[in-house]
Amino acid sequence: MFESLSLETLGDIYVGVFGLAVLLYAILDGYDLGVGILMPPRHEAFRDTMISSIGPYWDANETWLVLAVGILLFAFPDAHNRFLQTLYLPATFMLLGLIMRGVSFDFRAKVAQVKKRKWDLSFKYGSLVVTLTQGYMLGIYVTGLRTDLWAQGFALLSAVGVSAAYAFIGSCWLILKGEGELQEKAFHWARRGLLALAIGISAVSLANLTLHDDVREMWLTAPTGYYLAAIPISCFILLSLCAVSLKKLPDYKGKADWLPFAIALLVFTLCFAAFAVSYYPYVVPGEMTILDAISAEGSLRFLLVGIVIVVPCILAYTLLVYRIFAGKAEALTYY
């Protein structure tokens, strides 16, 4: 099976599946990380509803992170080693943040009411640790795993930008799933997050043009630059549309609560597309191509059998969960 596939084709397939896993993780776990960041310390009713809005989904959302790391390890082991050598500490902090979230989510339901707030705050700050470390690692990755002062500055900018993006999509999710006062608060958070996201996209995009000569040439040279310009233009048209919808939707009494979240999905996808176009065929930007990092053909063909089975199952399970729990958030029930 798959004997006719060349090494180049196998590499493209694995990069495609890896990219799909990263994109779905950024969107799906992105909104529940954003909800965690936004949890208000002094409003227990809001916190309960916010947790219930992500409760049925968040384990399934994190499955895509496991898949992405697994593909990176088995299909591109040299790149995986480079990542860990450079990003060992932030990756450790990210895992600690994920552990904090998981423990807090379960313990908040099992402790006395007077102690629940402590676990809610642990969930909030665990979410913030995860988003900041993911943004930092993304920034270092984009620089080609550099660790100089300029790379560190770019990584910190990326950390703030990714956190703002997650907070924005989290607020859009709460508009979709929330009602009443929480939804009104979510509109307020989304309007603030929209501005931060627009500034972050602009700042990171401009800084990114200074990192790699080939990327700058691709984006600023005709005729390629003309076609690629459609991505940021579409992004800011969508953000402008979202800004208008955030002002008008409260008057529609829930008839189009899905619109801000749908726009956020499109913006995330466009940003990911810009990233993919900029750095293909590199696995480590400017340093290591797909063919430099890829495993042996036999291993890739064997693993592809599992991917063909597992990825559709994960997609089907994810779609089923979202269909079953569609609609406004309901109170969580613990068994």
Side-chain angles (χ1 to χ4, degrees), residues 3 15 38 70 118 168 190 230 251:
E3 293 296 330
V15 164
L38 294 170
K118 295 180 180 179
F168 170 70
D251 299 329

mmCIF file of all heavy atoms in Angstrom, residues 3 15 38 70 118 168 190 230 251:
data_model
loop_
_atom_site.group_PDB
_atom_site.id
_atom_site.type_symbol
_atom_site.label_atom_id
_atom_site.label_comp_id
_atom_site.label_asym_id
_atom_site.label_seq_id
_atom_site.Cartn_x
_atom_site.Cartn_y
_atom_site.Cartn_z
ATOM 1 N N GLU A 3 2.912 2.203 -2.130
ATOM 2 C CA GLU A 3 4.258 1.979 -2.666
ATOM 3 C C GLU A 3 4.585 2.950 -3.797
ATOM 4 O O GLU A 3 5.757 3.245 -4.055
ATOM 5 C CB GLU A 3 4.382 0.535 -3.172
ATOM 6 C CG GLU A 3 4.325 -0.516 -2.078
ATOM 7 C CD GLU A 3 5.502 -0.408 -1.115
ATOM 8 O OE1 GLU A 3 6.580 0.029 -1.557
ATOM 9 O OE2 GLU A 3 5.347 -0.758 0.065
ATOM 10 N N VAL A 15 3.341 16.955 5.838
ATOM 11 C CA VAL A 15 3.297 18.382 6.162
ATOM 12 C C VAL A 15 1.859 18.889 6.137
ATOM 13 O O VAL A 15 1.439 19.691 6.987
ATOM 14 C CB VAL A 15 4.180 19.190 5.191
ATOM 15 C CG1 VAL A 15 3.860 20.671 5.259
ATOM 16 C CG2 VAL A 15 5.642 18.976 5.531
ATOM 17 N N LEU A 38 -10.167 34.756 29.871
ATOM 18 C CA LEU A 38 -11.171 35.793 30.129
ATOM 19 C C LEU A 38 -11.944 35.584 31.428
ATOM 20 O O LEU A 38 -12.705 36.470 31.831
ATOM 21 C CB LEU A 38 -12.169 35.844 28.961
ATOM 22 C CG LEU A 38 -11.609 36.300 27.611
ATOM 23 C CD1 LEU A 38 -12.634 36.060 26.512
ATOM 24 C CD2 LEU A 38 -11.200 37.763 27.660
ATOM 25 N N GLY A 70 2.862 14.096 17.532
ATOM 26 C CA GLY A 70 3.188 12.742 17.088
ATOM 27 C C GLY A 70 3.701 12.713 15.661
ATOM 28 O O GLY A 70 4.689 12.026 15.359
ATOM 29 N N LYS A 118 -10.335 29.395 43.902
ATOM 30 C CA LYS A 118 -8.898 29.165 43.761
ATOM 31 C C LYS A 118 -8.603 28.291 42.538
ATOM 32 O O LYS A 118 -7.648 28.549 41.793
ATOM 33 C CB LYS A 118 -8.340 28.509 45.020
ATOM 34 C CG LYS A 118 -8.426 29.379 46.269
ATOM 35 C CD LYS A 118 -7.865 28.660 47.479
ATOM 36 C CE LYS A 118 -7.963 29.535 48.725
ATOM 37 N NZ LYS A 118 -7.442 28.827 49.932
ATOM 38 N N PHE A 168 -9.602 36.777 21.798
ATOM 39 C CA PHE A 168 -10.625 37.252 20.864
ATOM 40 C C PHE A 168 -11.533 36.105 20.419
ATOM 41 O O PHE A 168 -12.762 36.221 20.473
ATOM 42 C CB PHE A 168 -9.969 37.898 19.641
ATOM 43 C CG PHE A 168 -10.932 38.205 18.531
ATOM 44 C CD1 PHE A 168 -11.874 39.204 18.671
ATOM 45 C CD2 PHE A 168 -10.902 37.477 17.343
ATOM 46 C CE1 PHE A 168 -12.779 39.479 17.656
ATOM 47 C CE2 PHE A 168 -11.790 37.748 16.322
ATOM 48 C CZ PHE A 168 -12.734 38.753 16.480
ATOM 49 N N ALA A 190 -14.949 41.067 23.093
ATOM 50 C CA ALA A 190 -14.641 40.872 21.673
ATOM 51 C C ALA A 190 -14.244 42.183 21.008
ATOM 52 O O ALA A 190 -13.331 42.210 20.176
ATOM 53 C CB ALA A 190 -15.841 40.256 20.953
ATOM 54 N N ALA A 230 -3.829 39.569 -1.325
ATOM 55 C CA ALA A 230 -5.243 39.268 -1.075
ATOM 56 C C ALA A 230 -5.468 38.705 0.326
ATOM 57 O O ALA A 230 -6.559 38.870 0.899
ATOM 58 C CB ALA A 230 -5.754 38.272 -2.122
ATOM 59 N N ASP A 251 -28.663 44.038 18.985
ATOM 60 C CA ASP A 251 -30.034 44.451 18.658
ATOM 61 C C ASP A 251 -30.821 43.347 17.948
ATOM 62 O O ASP A 251 -32.039 43.465 17.798
ATOM 63 C CB ASP A 251 -30.020 45.698 17.768
ATOM 64 C CG ASP A 251 -29.364 46.894 18.455
ATOM 65 O OD1 ASP A 251 -29.466 46.975 19.692
ATOM 66 O OD2 ASP A 251 -28.761 47.727 17.754
#
